[in-house]
């Protein structure tokens, strides 16, 4: 076995491993867009499920590899997270779409965490923008009694959102990152067995929790949307509706 020939044969497996890394960043990018997020999750799971078969195919004829790799394969097959992800992939192939759960809050943030938030239903088939739009419609009818749209230079309106797969407690992107690192340990060991310097895989390139879970909005634009709704001919406010502060656009620059 020569190092160059082994690398050539392992290239498809490592390529799929790096592809999965790419899809993790796609999940981050589209975290607040329901359909692209689901599509990226689907291809991420597809990619990680193909890695071990590609490794086995590449090195199946190398003396001693099958027996050496067997404990790694058994450990990966028994891993609860990987088993659950692969089960979801099988469901997509044979039955239909991934069944995701979504939860969230709408409120204001000062750049770290949420300062004032209300739990608000976030349909897993809708974007965060849709949730914000529904919230603004509710404020138009019932009044901005908490001052969500009142002028405040230190904060911004936001949606804080989380995605989960049924049966997995952690956030979907966190789960995918952990699955990638689990497989990374095996890939690093395979590389070392082949005589290659053991690579160190990490995800220090990931977005922060604030960047991932929060989408911020321009307060002036949201206020304009609310006022446009109230200006509609057939619009009716609730009898007890009131705003915590005036929402006129007259003083806006």
């Amino acid at each position: 076995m020569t190092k160059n020939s082994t690398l050539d044969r392992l290239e498809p497996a490592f390529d799929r491993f790096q592809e999965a890394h790419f899809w993790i960043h796609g999940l981050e990018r589209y975290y607040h867009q329901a359909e692209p997020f689901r599509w990226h999750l689907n291809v991420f799971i597809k990619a990680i499920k193909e890695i071990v078969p590609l490794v086995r195919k590449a090195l199946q004829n190398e003396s001693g590899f099958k027996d050496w790799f067997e404990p790694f394969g058994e450990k990966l097959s028994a891993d609860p997270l990987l088993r659950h992800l692969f089960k979801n992939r099988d469901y997509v192939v044979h039955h239909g779409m991934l069944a995701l759960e979504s939860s969230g809050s709408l409120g204001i943030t000062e750049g770290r965490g949420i300062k004032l938030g209300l739990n608000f239903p976030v349909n897993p088939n809708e974007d965060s923008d849709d949730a914000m739009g529904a919230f603004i419609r509710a404020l138009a009818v019932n009044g901005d009694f908490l001052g969500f749209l009142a002028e405040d230079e230190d904060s911004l309106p936001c949606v804080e959102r989380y995605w989960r797969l049924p049966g997995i407690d952690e956030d979907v992107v966190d789960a995918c990152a952990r699955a990638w690192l689990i497989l990374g340990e095996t890939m690093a060991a395979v590389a070392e067995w082949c005589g290659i310097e053991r690579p160190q895989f990490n995800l220090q390139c990931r977005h922060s929790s604030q960047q991932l879970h929060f989408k911020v909005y321009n307060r002036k634009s949201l206020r304009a949307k609310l006022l446009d709704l109230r200006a509609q001919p057939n619009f009716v406010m609730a009898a007890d509706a009131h705003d915590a502060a005036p929402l006129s656009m007259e003083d806006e620059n």
Side-chain angles (χ1 to χ4, degrees):
M1 176 177 66
T2 66
K3 184 181 293 187
N4 288 339
S5 64
T6 303
L7 282 173
D8 289 342
R9 291 199 297 278
L10 278 174
E11 185 176 1
F14 275 100
D15 180 73
R16 199 71 85 249
F17 182 62
Q18 293 303 324
E19 177 188 336
H21 181 196
F22 176 83
W23 296 129
I24 289 174
H25 288 295
L27 287 167
E28 292 180 327
R29 179 179 180 182
Y30 292 106
Y31 197 85
H32 291 273
Q33 294 175 251
E35 288 188 342
F37 183 82
R38 188 179 68 250
W39 298 334
H40 279 74
L41 177 58
N42 186 19
V43 290
F44 169 81
I45 300 174
K46 177 179 182 292
I48 61 169
K49 190 175 182 182
E50 293 172 350
I51 292 169
V52 169
L54 286 170
V55 170
R56 285 195 166 113
K57 180 179 179 181
L59 301 178
Q60 60 186 342
N61 296 323
E62 297 295 339
S63 176
F65 175 78
K66 183 177 179 181
D67 291 339
W68 174 85
F69 188 75
E70 194 60 30
F72 290 93
E74 291 176 353
K75 183 179 179 180
L76 293 175
S77 295
D79 185 271
L81 175 59
L82 293 179
R83 288 179 64 183
H84 202 88
L85 290 174
F86 295 165
K87 182 179 178 181
N88 274 275
R89 172 60 188 167
D90 292 339
Y91 180 85
V92 170
V93 171
H94 299 291
H95 299 287
M97 300 181 348
L98 285 170
L100 287 166
E101 297 174 348
S102 179
S103 62
S105 301
L106 290 99
I108 56 176
T109 180
E110 293 181 346
R112 185 168 60 182
I114 195 163
K115 178 182 176 183
L116 172 66
L118 298 172
N119 291 333
F120 199 81
V122 183
N123 189 314
N125 295 317
E126 294 183 347
D127 299 344
S128 295
D129 287 351
D130 297 322
M132 179 58 79
F135 186 58
I136 294 301
R137 289 191 292 275
L139 292 184
V141 173
N142 299 299
D144 182 22
F145 56 90
L146 292 177
F148 180 78
L149 298 178
E151 273 303 306
D152 182 357
E153 295 182 356
D154 297 323
S155 69
L156 287 171
C158 68
V159 172
E160 181 185 17
R161 187 169 194 171
Y162 293 88
W163 288 99
R164 286 182 173 80
L165 275 167
I168 300 178
D169 292 336
E170 61 195 306
D171 178 79
V172 164
V173 182
D174 291 339
C176 290
R178 187 160 65 87
W180 188 84
L181 290 170
I182 290 169
L183 283 161
E185 286 295 312
T186 296
M187 296 300 287
V190 168
E192 190 174 43
W193 186 86
C194 294
I196 304 165
E197 182 178 354
R198 188 183 182 96
Q200 299 297 318
F201 299 116
N202 63 69
L203 287 172
Q204 295 177 358
C205 50
R206 280 196 61 193
H207 293 177
S208 70
S209 178
Q210 182 79 22
Q211 290 174 311
L212 180 66
H213 295 294
F214 285 77
K215 181 170 184 179
V216 298
Y217 293 82
N218 181 281
R219 183 177 272 109
K220 178 180 177 181
S221 296
L222 295 180
R223 190 185 302 130
K225 290 179 180 179
L226 181 146
L227 294 174
D228 284 344
L229 288 169
R230 289 181 176 176
Q232 297 299 313
N234 297 323
F235 179 82
V236 178
M237 287 185 69
D240 58 349
H242 71 278
D243 299 321
L247 298 181
S248 172
M249 301 292 291
E250 293 179 359
D251 297 330
E252 297 288 349
N253 294 324

